[in-house]
Each structure stands twice: as C-alpha cells, then as structure tokens.
Amino acid sequence: MKRLTDTMFVAPQVQPGDIAALKNAGVAMIINNRPDDEEPGQPKSREIREAAEAEGIGYAHIPVGHGISPAEVDEMREALSSAGDAKVLGFCRSGTRSTLLWALARNEDGVDREELEAAAEGAGYSLAPINHLLS
C-alpha cells in the first residue's frame, strides 16, 4: 500500500487472500477500480467483495476503463464520504487509476490542487494525465 493521506492508500491488484492482512492493517473500506476481466487470471470483483464482507470491510466497485467519467468521480466521492475518517484502500492494476480518481473526487470536494499533487507525488504517482481537469 502506498499512502496518499492518513486515511487514503492505493495499491496494485488486491487478491481475496490479502483481505485479512488489510483488515489487520486497519483498512475499513476497499475501492476496486479495475473492470472485471481486464487481465487473464485477475480475481472477479465478486470474489474480493465476498472476502471483504467476510472480514467486515466495506467494499465499492468503481471500474475505470479508458478515461475517467464524471459519474465515476461522483461514485468515488460517495464511497469516500461513506468511509468517513476510516482507512480506505483504492486499487487497480498499478494504483495509478485509483490515485487519479481519488484526486478528481477530492478536487470536486474543494481540496487544493497543490495538496493533491504533493500527495500523489509522495506516493510515486503523477497527476499529469488529469492536470486539465483539476482546478
């Protein structure tokens, strides 16, 4: 997991077998940003949801393909809002889409662009692909 903020982390693909360790690390909600069947052998969203629910962890599936839509940003805002101050883990293939979607959602909530850029860069990600969408 790479830290964006005290409560937001991103990671590459999560496996159902990782969920207990994530719970032990304090993760209270998982946001899956991968479409099912993006790669052969990738676990289905349903499998991860079931493992998360068995551990009492919240789960949201907001799949992002090519480009991020306003609806996906709204869904991310809702998921983050529902988590409150709990620790959230967003994941995709590499963590990049989760970082970009998080930044767009937080920007819509009024978080300063420079703060978002610093958080992303601190975790090893660039917001350059969405610079034109940030205020």
Side-chain angles (χ1 to χ4, degrees), residues 60-125:
H61 187 211
I62 308 169
V64 175
H66 301 290
I68 297 173
S69 73
E72 291 160 348
V73 173
D74 288 343
E75 287 179 59
M76 186 68 157
R77 289 178 72 202
E78 289 175 27
L80 293 171
S81 177
S82 74
D85 292 330
K87 188 184 270 190
V88 175
L89 174 67
F91 79 89
C92 56
R93 188 182 56 78
S94 67
T96 300
R97 281 175 285 181
S98 296
T99 300
L100 298 177
L101 184 57
W102 165 82
L104 289 169
R106 298 301 292 138
N107 190 244
E108 285 287 318
D109 289 335
V111 176
D112 184 67
R113 174 190 191 127
E114 287 77 25
E115 182 179 336
L116 297 170
E117 288 172 340
E121 288 171 13
Y125 298 99

Side-chain angles (χ1 to χ4, degrees), residues 44-75:
K44 301 280 190 201
S45 175
R46 173 188 46 77
E47 297 171 75
I48 299 166
R49 174 187 299 278
E50 289 170 358
E53 289 174 351
E55 292 290 339
I57 295 175
Y59 182 84
H61 187 211
I62 308 169
V64 175
H66 301 290
I68 297 173
S69 73
E72 291 160 348
V73 173
D74 288 343
E75 287 179 59

